[in-house]
Amino acid sequence: MTRSIIERARPEILSLRGYSSARMEAKGGSVLLNANESPWPAPSDRSDALHRYPDPQPPALIARLAAIYGVAPDSVLAGRGSDEAIDLLTRAFCRAGIDEVIVSPPTFGMYEVSAAIQNARVVAVPLNAGRGFAYPFAAVLAAVTPETKLVYVCTPNNPTGTAVSREDVLALAGALDGRALVIVDEAYIDFTTAPSVIADIASTPNLAVLRTLSKGHALAAARVGALIAAAPVIALLRKLMAPYPLPQGSVDAALAALSDAALAATGTRIRTLVAERDGLAARLASLPDVVAVIPSDANFITARFVDAPAVYRRLLAAGIVVRNVGHHAALAGCLRISIGTPEENRALLDELERRRA
Ligand SMILES: *Cc1c(COP(=O)(O)O)cnc(C)c1O
C-alpha cells in the first residue's frame, strides 16, 4: 500500500481551510451585491468586463488547457506563469528549516530561489557535464532522504537545452512514489521532439508537470502558466493560492492564443525557430571563437567561447544582448543565445563572423 504524496505536504497546509472568496461562494445570479465591487464599469473600460472580480480558475481557460494537454480539468492549475506554481509547491510541501528539494544544476534559478524563501534546504545533484549534461538519475535517487519533498527535472533544461527520456523520468517517479514529488518543468517542450510526460500524470500520483505560455506561445507578458498534476495536488495548492491570481486581460490573451487558428500559426513559427536554431548551431560550431556548442532541444543555444566576456561585450556594442551563463560551475566560458527572427540571427552571425577577418 503506497502512501499518498499528499500526506507529505506540510501538516498546517493540509488542515488549512483556505480563503473563500465571494466569487467562489456563490455562482449564478444577475444582481451581484456580494463582492463589494463597483456596480458600473470603469469609465475607461471599453471591455465592460473589468469591474467584477475574475473567476479564480476560469472554467473556459482550464477546459482549453486540459483539452490541449489531454488531461482532466481537475488536474490543471492555472497561475501567474509557472513561477507561481514552483512557489506554491515549495510552500505547500516544505517545512521551513527541515525539508529538502533536489535540483540539478546548471538549471533554472527559480527552484532554488523559491526554496530559499521558504527556508527549505537545496540539495544540488549536478547534471553530468562529462556526459552531455545528462540528468543524474542514479545520483538523485541516492541523494533522497526522508526530508526530500521535491525533485526537479527540467526538460529541455535551461540553460543547457538538453532533454531527458520519458522512461527515465517515470522510473524516477516510480522509485519515489509516496515519498517525493517529481516536478518536470516542460517550459521548452514546444521546441523538442522528445516526448512529454504530461499524459503520465493520470497514472503517476507523485508526478507534476509545469507548462507555460511564456515561451512557445509568445505570451511572456501575460504571465500565464499551468501546473498539471493529480487532482489532490491541485486542490491542495488552491488553498494557498492568491484569491484571484489571473487578471482578466491575461485570461483573454491566453484564450485567444490557444484558439485553433492561433495554435496553427504558433506551430508554423516554432518550426521556423527550430530550423533557425539548428542552422545557427551548425554555424556557431564552425567559428574559431567557439569551443563547443551544446546540442539544444530548446529555443536557445548555449555555447562555450574561447573568450566569452569579450564576445559578450562585442555583441553588446553591436546592440545584441545575450546571456552570460558562465557563473554556473559547469558552464564557465559559456553564453546562452536565444533564437531570434531569421534577421536577428543573421545579425548575430554577421557580428561573430566579421571579426574572423
Ligand atoms: C522561462 C522558464 C519558465 C517560465 O516561467 P513563467 O513564469 O511561466 O514565465 C519556467 N521554467 C523554465 C526552466 C524557464 O526557463
Side-chain angles (χ1 to χ4, degrees), residues 8 10 32 36 50 54 67 72 83 119 131 136 171 190 200 231 243 251 265 273 285 304 309 320 324 346 349:
R8 299 284 285 146
R10 288 168 51 202
L32 299 180
N36 300 349
L50 297 180
D83 286 334
N119 192 21
R131 278 185 41 235
D190 299 324
D200 298 297
V251 172
L273 192 134
R304 199 181 303 276
I320 300 170
N324 191 339
R346 187 68 252 162
L349 274 174

mmCIF file of all heavy atoms in Angstrom, residues 8 10 32 36 50 54 67 72 83 119 131 136 171 190 200 231 243 251 265 273 285 304 309 320 324 346 349:
data_model
loop_
_atom_site.group_PDB
_atom_site.id
_atom_site.type_symbol
_atom_site.label_atom_id
_atom_site.label_comp_id
_atom_site.label_asym_id
_atom_site.label_seq_id
_atom_site.Cartn_x
_atom_site.Cartn_y
_atom_site.Cartn_z
ATOM 1 N N ARG A 8 2.622 13.986 2.342
ATOM 2 C CA ARG A 8 3.957 14.565 2.502
ATOM 3 C C ARG A 8 3.906 16.089 2.573
ATOM 4 O O ARG A 8 4.922 16.744 2.790
ATOM 5 C CB ARG A 8 4.859 14.130 1.335
ATOM 6 C CG ARG A 8 5.045 12.625 1.245
ATOM 7 C CD ARG A 8 6.005 12.113 2.309
ATOM 8 N NE ARG A 8 7.364 12.442 1.971
ATOM 9 C CZ ARG A 8 8.318 12.733 2.865
ATOM 10 N NH1 ARG A 8 8.018 12.751 4.147
ATOM 11 N NH2 ARG A 8 9.536 13.003 2.486
ATOM 12 N N ARG A 10 2.966 19.892 4.091
ATOM 13 C CA ARG A 10 3.061 20.438 5.454
ATOM 14 C C ARG A 10 1.730 20.230 6.161
ATOM 15 O O ARG A 10 0.666 20.538 5.606
ATOM 16 C CB ARG A 10 3.385 21.937 5.390
ATOM 17 C CG ARG A 10 4.801 22.242 4.952
ATOM 18 C CD ARG A 10 4.947 23.717 4.625
ATOM 19 N NE ARG A 10 4.460 24.559 5.697
ATOM 20 C CZ ARG A 10 4.073 25.824 5.556
ATOM 21 N NH1 ARG A 10 4.101 26.388 4.360
ATOM 22 N NH2 ARG A 10 3.643 26.516 6.580
ATOM 23 N N LEU A 32 -25.474 41.296 -8.640
ATOM 24 C CA LEU A 32 -24.321 40.848 -7.855
ATOM 25 C C LEU A 32 -23.982 41.876 -6.779
ATOM 26 O O LEU A 32 -23.337 42.885 -7.050
ATOM 27 C CB LEU A 32 -23.125 40.619 -8.777
ATOM 28 C CG LEU A 32 -23.338 39.553 -9.857
ATOM 29 C CD1 LEU A 32 -22.095 39.400 -10.720
ATOM 30 C CD2 LEU A 32 -23.742 38.215 -9.250
ATOM 31 N N ASN A 36 -18.611 43.597 -3.027
ATOM 32 C CA ASN A 36 -18.175 44.989 -2.839
ATOM 33 C C ASN A 36 -17.479 45.572 -4.070
ATOM 34 O O ASN A 36 -16.565 46.379 -3.971
ATOM 35 C CB ASN A 36 -17.246 45.121 -1.628
ATOM 36 C CG ASN A 36 -17.943 44.692 -0.354
ATOM 37 O OD1 ASN A 36 -19.162 44.496 -0.348
ATOM 38 N ND2 ASN A 36 -17.193 44.551 0.719
ATOM 39 N N LEU A 50 -14.234 44.622 -16.529
ATOM 40 C CA LEU A 50 -13.175 44.661 -15.515
ATOM 41 C C LEU A 50 -13.668 45.071 -14.124
ATOM 42 O O LEU A 50 -12.872 45.133 -13.199
ATOM 43 C CB LEU A 50 -12.054 45.614 -15.971
ATOM 44 C CG LEU A 50 -11.315 45.203 -17.245
ATOM 45 C CD1 LEU A 50 -10.228 46.222 -17.576
ATOM 46 C CD2 LEU A 50 -10.719 43.811 -17.105
ATOM 47 N N PRO A 54 -12.402 38.463 -11.235
ATOM 48 C CA PRO A 54 -12.394 37.356 -12.201
ATOM 49 C C PRO A 54 -12.621 36.029 -11.494
ATOM 50 O O PRO A 54 -12.482 35.925 -10.270
ATOM 51 C CB PRO A 54 -10.978 37.428 -12.777
ATOM 52 C CG PRO A 54 -10.142 38.000 -11.685
ATOM 53 C CD PRO A 54 -11.045 38.951 -10.929
ATOM 54 N N ALA A 67 -7.879 20.292 -22.483
ATOM 55 C CA ALA A 67 -8.080 19.648 -23.786
ATOM 56 C C ALA A 67 -6.764 19.583 -24.561
ATOM 57 O O ALA A 67 -6.422 18.553 -25.147
ATOM 58 C CB ALA A 67 -9.138 20.418 -24.586
ATOM 59 N N ALA A 72 -7.542 15.661 -17.426
ATOM 60 C CA ALA A 72 -8.816 16.080 -16.853
ATOM 61 C C ALA A 72 -8.699 17.512 -16.321
ATOM 62 O O ALA A 72 -7.637 17.893 -15.815
ATOM 63 C CB ALA A 72 -9.215 15.146 -15.719
ATOM 64 N N ASP A 83 6.311 30.120 -12.647
ATOM 65 C CA ASP A 83 6.991 30.549 -11.426
ATOM 66 C C ASP A 83 6.065 30.481 -10.218
ATOM 67 O O ASP A 83 6.489 30.127 -9.118
ATOM 68 C CB ASP A 83 7.479 31.995 -11.578
ATOM 69 C CG ASP A 83 8.695 32.089 -12.497
ATOM 70 O OD1 ASP A 83 9.424 31.096 -12.613
ATOM 71 O OD2 ASP A 83 8.895 33.160 -13.091
ATOM 72 N N ASN A 119 12.975 28.728 3.216
ATOM 73 C CA ASN A 119 13.996 28.129 4.084
ATOM 74 C C ASN A 119 13.972 26.606 4.009
ATOM 75 O O ASN A 119 14.060 25.906 5.013
ATOM 76 C CB ASN A 119 13.850 28.610 5.537
ATOM 77 C CG ASN A 119 15.053 28.241 6.398
ATOM 78 O OD1 ASN A 119 16.137 27.994 5.866
ATOM 79 N ND2 ASN A 119 14.865 28.166 7.703
ATOM 80 N N ARG A 131 28.962 13.871 -19.627
ATOM 81 C CA ARG A 131 28.133 13.024 -20.499
ATOM 82 C C ARG A 131 27.020 13.865 -21.121
ATOM 83 O O ARG A 131 25.833 13.518 -21.058
ATOM 84 C CB ARG A 131 27.547 11.849 -19.705
ATOM 85 C CG ARG A 131 28.544 10.673 -19.544
ATOM 86 C CD ARG A 131 27.904 9.462 -18.868
ATOM 87 N NE ARG A 131 26.559 9.199 -19.329
ATOM 88 C CZ ARG A 131 25.480 9.100 -18.529
ATOM 89 N NH1 ARG A 131 25.588 9.234 -17.244
ATOM 90 N NH2 ARG A 131 24.288 8.863 -19.044
ATOM 91 N N PRO A 136 21.269 13.224 -13.787
ATOM 92 C CA PRO A 136 21.948 12.210 -12.958
ATOM 93 C C PRO A 136 20.961 11.350 -12.166
ATOM 94 O O PRO A 136 20.894 11.440 -10.923
ATOM 95 C CB PRO A 136 22.806 13.072 -12.032
ATOM 96 C CG PRO A 136 21.988 14.314 -11.842
ATOM 97 C CD PRO A 136 21.264 14.542 -13.153
ATOM 98 N N ALA A 171 10.609 6.204 -14.326
ATOM 99 C CA ALA A 171 11.293 5.295 -13.400
ATOM 100 C C ALA A 171 11.658 6.033 -12.109
ATOM 101 O O ALA A 171 11.505 5.487 -11.004
ATOM 102 C CB ALA A 171 12.541 4.714 -14.062
ATOM 103 N N ASP A 190 7.778 22.714 -26.397
ATOM 104 C CA ASP A 190 7.301 23.012 -27.755
ATOM 105 C C ASP A 190 8.417 22.960 -28.797
ATOM 106 O O ASP A 190 8.143 22.900 -29.992
ATOM 107 C CB ASP A 190 6.670 24.407 -27.803
ATOM 108 C CG ASP A 190 5.479 24.530 -26.873
ATOM 109 O OD1 ASP A 190 4.750 23.537 -26.735
ATOM 110 O OD2 ASP A 190 5.296 25.607 -26.278
ATOM 111 N N ASP A 200 1.218 11.053 -18.451
ATOM 112 C CA ASP A 200 1.514 10.072 -17.402
ATOM 113 C C ASP A 200 1.067 10.518 -16.015
ATOM 114 O O ASP A 200 1.146 9.735 -15.068
ATOM 115 C CB ASP A 200 3.019 9.782 -17.392
ATOM 116 C CG ASP A 200 3.474 9.181 -18.706
ATOM 117 O OD1 ASP A 200 3.005 8.081 -19.043
ATOM 118 O OD2 ASP A 200 4.264 9.832 -19.417
ATOM 119 N N ALA A 231 -5.374 15.404 -9.191
ATOM 120 C CA ALA A 231 -6.362 16.337 -8.643
ATOM 121 C C ALA A 231 -6.116 16.703 -7.175
ATOM 122 O O ALA A 231 -6.274 17.876 -6.805
ATOM 123 C CB ALA A 231 -7.772 15.776 -8.849
ATOM 124 N N PRO A 243 -6.355 34.784 -3.950
ATOM 125 C CA PRO A 243 -7.783 34.603 -4.252
ATOM 126 C C PRO A 243 -8.122 34.757 -5.742
ATOM 127 O O PRO A 243 -8.928 33.997 -6.270
ATOM 128 C CB PRO A 243 -8.460 35.694 -3.438
ATOM 129 C CG PRO A 243 -7.506 36.039 -2.348
ATOM 130 C CD PRO A 243 -6.135 35.778 -2.887
ATOM 131 N N VAL A 251 -6.260 36.298 -19.007
ATOM 132 C CA VAL A 251 -7.102 35.153 -19.361
ATOM 133 C C VAL A 251 -7.574 35.290 -20.805
ATOM 134 O O VAL A 251 -7.522 34.332 -21.593
ATOM 135 C CB VAL A 251 -8.303 35.057 -18.388
ATOM 136 C CG1 VAL A 251 -9.287 33.987 -18.858
ATOM 137 C CG2 VAL A 251 -7.811 34.759 -16.973
ATOM 138 N N ALA A 265 -0.816 28.818 -36.256
ATOM 139 C CA ALA A 265 0.179 29.836 -36.589
ATOM 140 C C ALA A 265 1.406 29.707 -35.683
ATOM 141 O O ALA A 265 2.546 29.855 -36.128
ATOM 142 C CB ALA A 265 -0.437 31.229 -36.464
ATOM 143 N N LEU A 273 11.523 28.561 -36.008
ATOM 144 C CA LEU A 273 12.508 28.805 -34.960
ATOM 145 C C LEU A 273 13.446 27.614 -34.781
ATOM 146 O O LEU A 273 14.668 27.770 -34.640
ATOM 147 C CB LEU A 273 11.782 29.136 -33.647
ATOM 148 C CG LEU A 273 12.711 29.689 -32.566
ATOM 149 C CD1 LEU A 273 12.111 30.905 -31.897
ATOM 150 C CD2 LEU A 273 13.050 28.635 -31.545
ATOM 151 N N ALA A 285 29.261 26.348 -34.484
ATOM 152 C CA ALA A 285 30.266 25.308 -34.268
ATOM 153 C C ALA A 285 31.462 25.492 -35.199
ATOM 154 O O ALA A 285 32.570 25.032 -34.900
ATOM 155 C CB ALA A 285 29.637 23.932 -34.453
ATOM 156 N N ARG A 304 30.198 27.362 -25.675
ATOM 157 C CA ARG A 304 31.408 27.749 -24.957
ATOM 158 C C ARG A 304 32.332 28.489 -25.919
ATOM 159 O O ARG A 304 32.571 28.023 -27.032
ATOM 160 C CB ARG A 304 32.100 26.507 -24.379
ATOM 161 C CG ARG A 304 33.085 26.807 -23.251
ATOM 162 C CD ARG A 304 33.760 25.543 -22.731
ATOM 163 N NE ARG A 304 32.850 24.515 -22.251
ATOM 164 C CZ ARG A 304 32.314 24.467 -21.025
ATOM 165 N NH1 ARG A 304 32.585 25.418 -20.156
ATOM 166 N NH2 ARG A 304 31.494 23.498 -20.684
ATOM 167 N N PRO A 309 33.628 36.666 -22.193
ATOM 168 C CA PRO A 309 33.380 38.067 -21.832
ATOM 169 C C PRO A 309 33.651 39.025 -22.995
ATOM 170 O O PRO A 309 32.910 39.994 -23.188
ATOM 171 C CB PRO A 309 34.356 38.315 -20.670
ATOM 172 C CG PRO A 309 34.609 36.957 -20.089
ATOM 173 C CD PRO A 309 34.577 36.008 -21.268
ATOM 174 N N ILE A 320 23.513 43.763 -29.580
ATOM 175 C CA ILE A 320 22.973 42.403 -29.463
ATOM 176 C C ILE A 320 23.227 41.888 -28.044
ATOM 177 O O ILE A 320 24.374 41.816 -27.594
ATOM 178 C CB ILE A 320 23.633 41.461 -30.495
ATOM 179 C CG1 ILE A 320 23.349 41.979 -31.918
ATOM 180 C CG2 ILE A 320 23.145 40.027 -30.310
ATOM 181 C CD1 ILE A 320 24.150 41.274 -32.996
ATOM 182 N N ASN A 324 25.155 35.805 -20.291
ATOM 183 C CA ASN A 324 26.369 35.163 -19.810
ATOM 184 C C ASN A 324 25.975 34.129 -18.754
ATOM 185 O O ASN A 324 25.428 34.483 -17.718
ATOM 186 C CB ASN A 324 27.303 36.224 -19.205
ATOM 187 C CG ASN A 324 28.688 35.669 -18.926
ATOM 188 O OD1 ASN A 324 28.863 34.449 -18.805
ATOM 189 N ND2 ASN A 324 29.666 36.544 -18.830
ATOM 190 N N ARG A 346 20.771 36.382 -38.231
ATOM 191 C CA ARG A 346 21.720 36.789 -39.264
ATOM 192 C C ARG A 346 22.642 37.883 -38.736
ATOM 193 O O ARG A 346 23.859 37.856 -38.909
ATOM 194 C CB ARG A 346 20.906 37.303 -40.482
ATOM 195 C CG ARG A 346 21.640 37.642 -41.732
ATOM 196 C CD ARG A 346 22.234 36.437 -42.401
ATOM 197 N NE ARG A 346 23.685 36.468 -42.214
ATOM 198 C CZ ARG A 346 24.498 35.433 -42.370
ATOM 199 N NH1 ARG A 346 24.027 34.254 -42.690
ATOM 200 N NH2 ARG A 346 25.785 35.555 -42.183
ATOM 201 N N LEU A 349 25.187 36.380 -36.390
ATOM 202 C CA LEU A 349 26.253 35.666 -37.099
ATOM 203 C C LEU A 349 27.177 36.641 -37.824
ATOM 204 O O LEU A 349 28.397 36.472 -37.815
ATOM 205 C CB LEU A 349 25.638 34.683 -38.100
ATOM 206 C CG LEU A 349 25.280 33.309 -37.525
ATOM 207 C CD1 LEU A 349 24.551 32.476 -38.563
ATOM 208 C CD2 LEU A 349 26.514 32.581 -37.004
#
